Amino acid sequence: MNLHEYQAKEIFARYGIPVPQGQLASSPEQARAAAKQLGGEKFVVKAQVHAGGRGKAGGVKLVEGFDAVEETAKKMLGTQLVTKQTGAEGLPVNSVYVEKPSAIARELYVSAVVDRSKERIVFMASAAGGMDIEEVAEHTPEKLKTIAVHPAAGLQPYQARELGFFMEMSKEQVDQFTKVLSGLYRIFTELDAALVEINPLIITGEGNVVALDAKLNFDSNALYRQKAIAEQRDYSQEDEREREASKYDLNYVTLEGDIGCMVNGAGLAMATMDIVKLHGGKPANFLDVGGGTTAEKVTEAFKLITKSPDVKAIFINIFGGIVRCDLIAEGIITAVKQIGLKIPVVARLQGTNMEKGREMLKASGLKITPVEDLTEAAQTVVALAKSA
Ligand code: GDP
Ligand code: MN
């Protein structure tokens, strides 16, 4: 789960990480009032969306005067901001963050993630901040330095100093950076973060270390014990179908193809997408309906898949281990009838009570083609989607 920049900066401030002064606004008038309260002549107006790359996309503007703040907020609010990190339709700008501008002497980069092979939290830092860090990592990896934190010892000051000196900071700046890093480490561990990133971390004109941007991502599996974080979730920034899916405990990810997939088990779901691609098709989604699938879940899954107008055919691939194929068949039939499904369905049911399941599908008189063999099922659904 992601937070907005302004929310992340609030947390930063609580953990002793210096951030510019700012105020949130959800209307142009509020933006003007925010600027007045902050005081001064110049301001930064920043679109609040769950994506980076806003600067290049016109979502970060340096402006002068209250009128300009109001004008800029008016232009940003209510639009969909498309950046390199969003899809083609972009993300809705429902609020802007008005900040006092900082004078930038240098733009640096620092982040932390869990390195699963090392089984440690690792910090990455680079003097090449502000730009695409992926580019830096790919073309000039020597400009990135990584340190791994021992879970029992925690982040050690010498490790922070090592990164600070790597970024050619002065001694005073290294001291400030050490506080920043220890704050980030506490955020990471105390709040169950999955990613913390400051890009850019700047050296101001006066030579101080300040977080100019803030990105926090949290481990969704830990949200049950991070109520204060979970409450700050902004659903407007998330895919509507994925949101709907989480309500029914369905593991769903929207993709760009035209073949809807309904599968039980994450591994089988991956294999199903692979085989669809192998035979020239494109999956419209990843969907794992889970082990203890019920008829109700199958119905909800169908509704989700068919919400996308791009879906031309549906591929059901169920292995009846814990669930019984006849129950699944019942769910499929109910769902197809209930939503008045027009597009073709190919169903492959294997495992417990598979014969009964297949017979039920055949007898239903609906546009459902039962196929036993996986390859044949994939070929059939790809052909159906192409001829649609
Ligand atoms: P992102 O593009 O979504 O990552 O948004 P950032 O918050 O990182 O801002 C993008 C860029 O805008 C930064 O790298 C800076 O170059 C510039 N910027 C943002 N805030 C300020 C500021 O207070 N002063 C100055 N001079 N530039 C800023
Ligand atoms: Mn940034």
Side-chain angles (χ1 to χ4, degrees):
M1 186 203 116
N2 287 313
L3 286 185
H4 283 294
E5 172 196 10
Y6 79 92
Q7 296 166 321
K9 279 180 169 169
E10 262 170 35
I11 295 175
F12 278 12
R14 259 195 281 134
Y15 281 80
I17 300 169
V19 290
Q21 252 191 73
Q23 273 200 31
L24 188 74
S26 47
S27 72
E29 299 73 33
Q30 271 180 22
R32 170 185 278 271
K36 272 194 176 156
Q37 270 207 359
L38 289 169
E41 280 293 302
K42 293 182 180 168
F43 305 93
V44 189
V45 182
K46 308 182 84 174
Q48 295 301 289
V49 291
H50 282 189
R54 295 165 303 166
K56 282 182 188 143
V60 177
K61 294 276 186 212
L62 271 145
V63 298
E64 202 170 331
F66 302 141
D67 289 340
V69 170
E70 188 172 336
E71 221 19 64
T72 309
K74 199 171 170 183
K75 275 187 200 143
M76 286 182 184
L77 288 164
T79 61
Q80 295 280 121
L81 185 68
V82 181
T83 83
K84 252 182 96 174
Q85 294 183 12
T86 67
E89 68 266 42
L91 288 170
V93 183
N94 298 324
S95 61
V96 296
Y97 196 49
V98 184
E99 271 189 343
K100 281 198 154 189
S102 312
I104 303 178
R106 298 180 65 205
E107 297 198 53
L108 313 170
Y109 173 91
V110 64
S111 69
V113 288
V114 174
D115 182 324
R116 287 167 198 277
S117 55
K118 287 200 179 99
E119 301 179 359
R120 304 229 159 142
I121 293 169
V122 296
F123 279 93
M124 264 172 288
S126 174
M131 55 183 86
D132 256 325
I133 202 67
E134 287 82 7
E135 296 268 312
V136 176
E138 195 180 328
H139 302 293
T140 48
E142 70 281 0
K143 287 189 180 165
L144 263 170
K145 189 171 179 66
T146 304
I147 52 134
V149 181
H150 191 284
L155 178 74
Q156 298 295 304
Y158 83 87
Q159 294 183 300
R161 287 197 293 271
E162 205 177 314
L163 290 182
F165 287 122
F166 173 74
M167 293 188 285
E168 295 170 353
M169 288 178 163
S170 69
K171 201 182 157 301
E172 296 76 55
Q173 287 159 7
V174 168
D175 286 344
Q176 293 181 26
F177 179 67
T178 303
K179 292 205 182 89
V180 168
L181 222 58
S182 105
L184 287 183
Y185 184 67
R186 281 182 52 217
I187 290 171
F188 205 105
T189 49
E190 290 174 21
L191 302 182
D192 293 310
L195 164 78
V196 304
E197 186 184 67
I198 309 179
N199 190 23
L201 176 75
I202 60 161
I203 308 291
T204 64
E206 296 88 56
N208 292 316
V209 178
V210 172
L212 203 64
D213 195 2
K215 181 169 176 179
L216 286 180
N217 175 267
F218 297 90
D219 181 349
S220 303
N221 290 320
L223 287 179
Y224 74 94
R225 63 181 190 191
Q226 297 291 350
K227 299 252 157 41
I229 301 292
E231 274 168 16
Q232 297 191 68
R233 188 166 190 160
D234 181 355
Y235 286 101
S236 79
Q237 303 291 315
E238 297 177 21
D239 184 283
E240 195 196 321
R241 276 163 285 168
E242 289 175 20
R243 185 162 79 219
E244 192 69 16
S246 67
K247 274 198 225 156
Y248 296 97
D249 221 10
L250 297 164
N251 218 335
Y252 175 93
V253 181
T254 301
L255 299 170
E256 281 164 356
D258 57 4
I259 297 176
C261 298
M262 187 163 94
V263 192
N264 66 336
L268 189 58
M270 301 286 271
T272 304
M273 297 195 307
D274 279 350
I275 200 153
V276 164
K277 285 215 105 171
L278 184 70
H279 292 287
K282 274 201 184 142
N285 66 279
F286 167 92
L287 173 61
D288 164 18
V289 293
T293 312
T294 59
E296 195 211 351
K297 263 189 165 184
V298 171
T299 311
E300 291 309 324
F302 255 104
K303 284 187 193 160
L304 268 180
I305 292 174
T306 51
K307 249 186 200 152
S308 159
D310 297 334
V311 174
K312 305 245 159 52
I314 297 177
F315 186 5
I316 300 169
N317 190 12
I318 300 284
F319 178 74
I322 299 169
V323 297
R324 289 174 9 219
C325 290
D326 56 321
L327 266 186
I328 294 291
E330 192 188 309
I332 296 170
I333 294 165
T334 313
V336 171
K337 279 186 182 156
Q338 203 181 337
I339 57 182
L341 195 70
K342 301 270 175 350
I343 55 176
V345 177
V346 173
R348 174 176 178 266
L349 304 177
Q350 288 287 357
T352 312
N353 288 1
M354 59 191 188
E355 289 85 4
K356 194 169 167 204
R358 285 181 202 143
E359 265 160 37
M360 287 166 71
L361 291 183
K362 261 188 204 142
S364 72
L366 296 165
K367 240 164 63 177
I368 306 169
T369 317
V371 182
E372 279 181 46
D373 180 71
L374 181 54
T375 297
E376 197 189 324
Q379 286 165 341
T380 310
V381 78
V382 170
L384 283 169
K386 286 211 169 124
S387 66

